Amino acid sequence: MLRIAVDAMGGDHGPADVVAAVAAASLALDAELLLVGHERTLTSLLSEQEHNPERIAVYHAANAIGQFENAAKAMQAKRDSSIEVAVRLLADNLADTLVTMGNGDAVVEAARRHLRPIDGIARSARGAVYPTEVRRGEKQDPFVLLLDAGASMEADADELVSFAVMGSAYASCISRNERPRVALLSNGSDETRGLPSVVAAHQKLREMEGIHFVGNIAPIEIPRGTADVVVCAGFYGNLVLGMLHETHEAVLSMARYAHKERLMRNAGMWMLRSGLSRLKEVTDWHQYGGEPLLGYEKVIMIADGRSRMHAIVNAMKVAARAATCELPSTIRQNLQTEAP
């Protein structure tokens, strides 16, 4: 049976929503759920929820790392944090995948310390999803996957190529998109422009038969859905993602202002309300569940710290899908197929 570890202590809202999500999942998912956190607290919260006790095991962790703590210092001081205990369950093959709402930097560091990288992968990549109007694959997923989005700041050409392989495999598995379009983030579509690592990676990707490489794209193409997977070094991914989110919030804010101030006629107001409702639906991050940390023999889903029960359940479903389709094995095989 599939075993999903869940870090109960990392979210902004405390463990109550995590426990509620795990309790619900124990009744719906064909999986064993390993709940990691302060044992007495979790056991007490579980007693208040309808759940299948045969599907839930509690693993004690005395400490938790806050969202805004310095990851390196916190992990040094809190060696039995819920993040580290949960990652050790993966390393010891007691769990097949992990869902956490915890400090992303601490998750990346714990994975680096304890997990075995996939053969051929020199650097892990943290994915991030950004909504677009384009629907992808059999699952009709409305998001583009950007990676790396902060697991590391720099990447050479070979590492960018490995990100492309991992991202393509992830999109194929999660969205059931048989041939995801993969692009390199650059300052334009010209293959000779951009950083030397991007120019070199472009040449390599163009020759790879297993990757549906569509070339270089500029950041503005991401929300348009030009590609299903966008590859870059973590510094630029983090920067671009922050810009896109801030732009999105600014547009929503201006639209709400126009609605509130009644600057349009009634018909226009109705259209604006309809548009805002549709925009909220498409950009609802709760439905995406979480964002993957790829490059290791076990997949970790890092959910938003604000996640409530619905988003946490969705993160577990995505994690289960990644483990069931044996994503690390697929990545390894694809790398071996493309090796010269």
Side-chain angles (χ1 to χ4, degrees):
M1 182 180 292
L2 181 68
R3 299 160 300 175
I4 305 174
V6 183
D7 171 16
M9 309 303 289
D12 294 350
H13 305 291
D17 279 84
V18 182
V19 171
V22 167
S26 74
L27 301 172
L29 295 182
D30 185 20
E32 183 181 356
L33 304 167
L34 314 182
L35 194 55
V36 182
H38 191 274
E39 184 174 12
R40 197 182 321 171
T41 300
L42 301 184
T43 302
S44 175
L45 289 169
L46 265 178
S47 68
E48 302 170 2
Q49 301 285 338
E50 181 183 0
H51 67 283
N52 183 348
E54 295 181 358
R55 293 286 180 89
I56 301 176
V58 176
Y59 285 79
H60 180 66
N63 295 308
I65 296 176
Q67 291 283 1
F68 302 106
E69 287 190 74
N70 179 281
K73 291 181 179 179
M75 292 188 71
Q76 186 68 26
K78 304 175 181 179
R79 293 187 178 274
D80 57 351
S81 69
S82 59
I83 288 175
E84 187 133 12
V85 171
V87 172
R88 283 196 210 122
L89 290 176
L90 293 179
D92 294 338
N93 288 319
L94 295 175
D96 301 304
T97 185
L98 165 64
V99 173
T100 176
M101 283 64 63
N103 182 310
D105 290 340
V107 175
V108 170
E109 178 61 19
R112 187 190 66 79
R113 291 184 184 184
H114 298 293
L115 297 184
R116 185 164 69 89
I118 297 170
D119 290 341
I121 298 293
R123 194 183 291 271
S124 66
R126 180 176 176 180
V129 295
Y130 191 82
T132 72
E133 290 187 4
V134 177
R135 300 278 167 161
R136 295 167 169 83
E138 183 182 325
K139 297 294 291 183
Q140 290 290 286
D141 287 330
F143 61 80
V144 58
L145 177 70
L146 176 71
L147 76 168
D148 178 32
S152 57
M153 291 295 99
E154 298 180 356
D156 61 26
D158 288 334
E159 289 163 348
L160 291 175
V161 169
S162 71
F163 294 172
V165 172
M166 291 192 292
S168 180
Y170 182 84
S172 296
C173 169
I174 301 302
S175 300
R176 296 177 187 164
N177 184 350
E178 291 186 4
R179 193 163 167 77
R181 297 163 297 164
V182 179
L184 278 167
L185 186 68
S186 189
N187 58 337
S189 59
D190 190 336
E191 64 185 73
T192 63
R193 297 178 65 182
L195 296 171
S197 58
V198 173
V199 174
H202 184 110
Q203 298 302 316
K204 293 175 181 287
L205 287 169
R206 192 170 60 179
E207 298 172 0
M208 295 174 67
E209 296 182 0
I211 301 293
H212 184 193
F213 181 55
V214 297
N216 296 354
I217 65 170
I220 191 63
E221 297 295 328
I222 293 176
R224 292 174 180 168
T226 302
D228 305 314
V229 178
V230 179
V231 175
C232 59
F235 175 80
Y236 301 102
N238 201 279
L239 192 67
V240 167
L241 196 64
M243 178 199 70
L244 290 173
H245 281 309
E246 288 301 321
T247 302
H248 167 72
E249 289 299 324
V251 170
L252 279 181
S253 178
M254 288 186 288
R256 292 191 192 102
Y257 175 79
H259 185 280
K260 181 179 179 180
E261 296 299 317
R262 297 186 176 276
L263 297 179
M264 299 182 178
R265 296 181 181 273
N266 289 338
M269 293 296 293
W270 181 86
M271 292 175 64
L272 180 58
R273 283 197 299 270
S274 177
L276 282 174
S277 177
R278 173 61 180 152
L279 185 59
K280 182 179 179 181
E281 175 188 344
V282 171
T283 60
D284 180 14
W285 55 268
H286 292 82
Q287 66 180 306
Y288 308 141
E291 299 169 340
L293 177 63
L294 303 174
Y296 298 102
E297 288 293 344
K298 300 291 177 71
V299 177
I300 298 176
M301 298 301 301
I302 306 175
D304 194 291
R306 300 168 295 169
S307 295
R308 307 304 297 247
M309 177 181 169
H310 175 63
I312 298 166
V313 170
N314 282 342
M316 285 188 278
K317 290 179 180 178
V318 175
R321 198 181 306 159
T324 301
C325 72
E326 299 181 343
L327 182 59
S329 177
T330 300
I331 291 171
R332 189 186 321 109
Q333 291 171 7
N334 291 352
L335 283 170
Q336 291 170 352
T337 299
E338 297 292 349

